[in-house]
């Protein structure tokens, strides 16, 4: 096994073409890396390609991205359903697949078998600490979490979370890669449910839901207060709709399973909306209605 080296990173593999994976891959392509997006679902790959093409065209149209830079970045992206083949040439992997441990373990086992020995294997998961998949990879010291935020092309923060066996070299390379993607990484010294950002977000959301339950103010006014009194870019209900109410419930369930703290359990109001298919922006409605197109 050879040590990870930032200068040796040319090809980045992103596993999972969902909301996060596709934007992480585009961030890498914009930073000059060759990026492959792998997903088992070919339709998802096609949707990701179309979505990033539209995103790039919009930014060129707004004058925020040079058209040559956009087409070069798009040409550095490729899409595949074949994980083994894609793994074979990856110098750094960011796994952003479905949040299921059995699936992730399988992915990390494949990555451990097929990626070059120097490759770092990072997980974008916010709920599954990388220690849970480290052993399956056969190279625990080169595994960590590299947690991006939604929308990944915009949000600066990347949480780099080490587990007990993560090597200093892996941490250093992951932090530096995040910087080279134009991000501002923060280091989380050990695995803690929710890491730092989701714990802060959860605290604000819990308080916002308690205020709404108590009839203290409408959700609109609670959101307005967060924006205009505290300077948050979005209120807590708007943010839950952006993240997705299914994701919010999933994070709460995963956190509660680890902490057993009733304060971390999913909130009935969020669960009730989710049960009726109101998942937030992506379904066209959540706490708010967005109309067709989900925006
Ligand atoms: N994808 C890509 N780019 C997007 C985007 C998206 N979904 N939504 C907005 N943008 C871009 C726009 O193109 C625009 O770019 P330019 O300024 O360069 O033109 C920029 O973001 C600002 O967008 P808007 O002017 O349309 O709207 P805004 O100023 O209200 O910003 C926002 C939108 C960036 C989402 C902002 O409201 C914000 O920062 N909200 C908070 C988001 C947040 O907290 N995310 C973390 C969620 S928690 C998480 O992800 C962790 C987890 O594990 C669940």
């Amino acid at each position: 096994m050879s040590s990870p080296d930032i200068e040796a990173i040319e090809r980045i593999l992103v596993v999972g073409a969902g909301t996060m994976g596709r934007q992480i891959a585009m961030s890498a392509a914009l930073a000059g890396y060759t990026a492959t997006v792998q997903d088992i679902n070919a339709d998802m790959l096609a949707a990701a390609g179309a979505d990033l093409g539209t995103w790039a065209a919009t930014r060129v149209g707004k004058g925020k991205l040079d058209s040559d830079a956009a087409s070069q970045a798009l040409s550095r992206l490729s899409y595949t359903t074949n994980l083994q083949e894609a793994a074979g040439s990856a110098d750094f992997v960011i796994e952003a697949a479905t949040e299921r441990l059995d699936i992730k373990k399988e992915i990390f086992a494949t990555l451990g078998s097929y990626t070059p020995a120097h490759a770092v294997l990072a997980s974008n998961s916010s709920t599954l600490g990388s220690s849970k998949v480290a052993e399956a990879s056969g190279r625990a010291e080169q595994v960590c979490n590299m947690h991006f935020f939604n929308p990944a092309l915009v949000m600066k923060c990347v949480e780099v979370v080490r587990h007990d066996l993560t090597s200093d070299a892996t941490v250093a390379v992951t932090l530096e890669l995040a910087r080279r993607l134009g991000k501002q990484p923060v280091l989380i010294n050990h695995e803690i449910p929710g890491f730092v950002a989701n714990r802060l977000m959860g605290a604000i959301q819990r308080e916002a839901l308690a205020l709404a339950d108590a009839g203290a103010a409408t959700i609109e006014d609670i959101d307005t207060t967060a924006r205009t009194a505290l300077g948050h870019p979005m209120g807590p209900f708007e943010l839950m709709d952006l993240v997705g109410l299914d994701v919010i419930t999933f994070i709460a369930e995963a956190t509660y399973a680890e902490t057993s703290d009733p304060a971390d359990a999913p909130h009935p109001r969020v669960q009730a909306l989710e049960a009726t298919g109101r998942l937030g922006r992506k379904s066209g409605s959540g706490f708010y209605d967005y109309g067709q197109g989900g925006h």
Side-chain angles (χ1 to χ4, degrees):
M1 204 143 294
S2 59
S3 192
D5 171 10
I6 188 69
E7 304 307 337
I9 297 175
E10 287 176 10
R11 304 179 72 89
I12 295 179
L13 167 61
V14 179
V15 180
T19 313
M20 297 302 292
R22 65 184 68 168
Q23 293 208 2
I24 293 169
M26 188 68 185
S27 303
L30 286 166
Y33 291 99
T34 301
T36 301
V37 187
Q38 185 277 340
D39 199 295
I40 50 169
N41 182 341
D43 292 341
M44 186 66 102
L45 290 170
D51 184 28
L52 295 177
T54 305
W55 178 86
T58 307
R59 286 194 71 72
V60 171
K62 279 190 197 171
K64 299 219 165 174
L65 183 63
D66 180 74
S67 66
D68 284 347
S71 45
Q72 280 166 22
L74 290 171
S75 72
R76 282 193 284 269
L77 283 170
S78 61
Y79 302 87
T80 181
T81 54
N82 189 330
L83 181 59
Q84 297 179 0
E85 196 176 280
S89 58
D91 301 309
F92 195 104
V93 183
I94 304 169
E95 173 275 319
T98 305
E99 292 281 80
R100 270 188 35 199
L101 184 56
D102 55 340
I103 293 174
K104 289 189 193 283
K105 271 191 177 161
E106 210 174 297
I107 291 170
F108 274 78
T110 304
L111 294 173
S113 300
Y114 289 90
T115 52
H118 64 265
V120 168
L121 312 180
S123 173
N124 177 55
S125 180
S126 61
T127 53
L128 292 165
S130 67
S131 61
K132 294 194 167 69
V133 292
E135 195 184 333
S137 77
R139 61 175 88 168
E141 69 283 8
Q142 282 166 230
V143 171
C144 65
N145 285 84
M146 186 182 192
H147 180 218
F148 292 76
F149 293 84
N150 183 2
L153 278 160
V154 179
M155 305 306 286
K156 289 279 178 210
C157 187
V158 171
E159 290 177 318
V160 176
V161 189
R162 66 187 308 165
H163 65 86
D164 288 350
L165 300 178
T166 309
S167 71
D168 290 344
T170 297
V171 169
V173 162
T174 309
L175 290 168
E176 182 56 22
L177 179 65
R179 286 184 203 105
R180 292 187 184 193
L181 299 189
K183 303 300 184 191
Q184 195 163 336
V186 294
L187 176 61
I188 317 293
N189 292 316
H190 60 87
E191 290 180 352
I192 177 167
F195 305 150
V196 168
N198 282 354
R199 286 179 85 96
L200 295 174
M201 184 173 76
I204 294 167
Q205 286 168 1
R206 269 196 300 281
E207 197 56 37
L209 285 157
L211 287 165
D213 286 348
T218 62
I219 62 166
E220 289 84 354
D221 278 352
I222 295 169
D223 277 346
T224 301
T225 307
R227 277 189 272 102
T228 58
L230 306 177
H232 293 187
M234 283 183 160
F237 296 97
E238 294 166 323
L239 183 55
M240 283 189 269
D241 274 357
L242 174 75
V243 171
L245 301 186
D246 51 342
V247 177
I248 294 292
T249 298
F250 182 84
I251 291 172
E253 279 168 349
T255 308
Y256 180 53
E258 293 210 32
T259 65
S260 303
D261 180 349
D264 290 327
H267 193 282
R269 195 187 271 244
V270 179
Q271 287 178 305
L273 286 169
E274 195 196 340
T276 58
R278 294 175 72 107
L279 303 182
R281 286 197 192 192
K282 63 185 166 190
S283 72
S285 66
F287 284 105
Y288 295 97
D289 287 315
Y290 299 93
Q292 277 191 336
H295 296 287

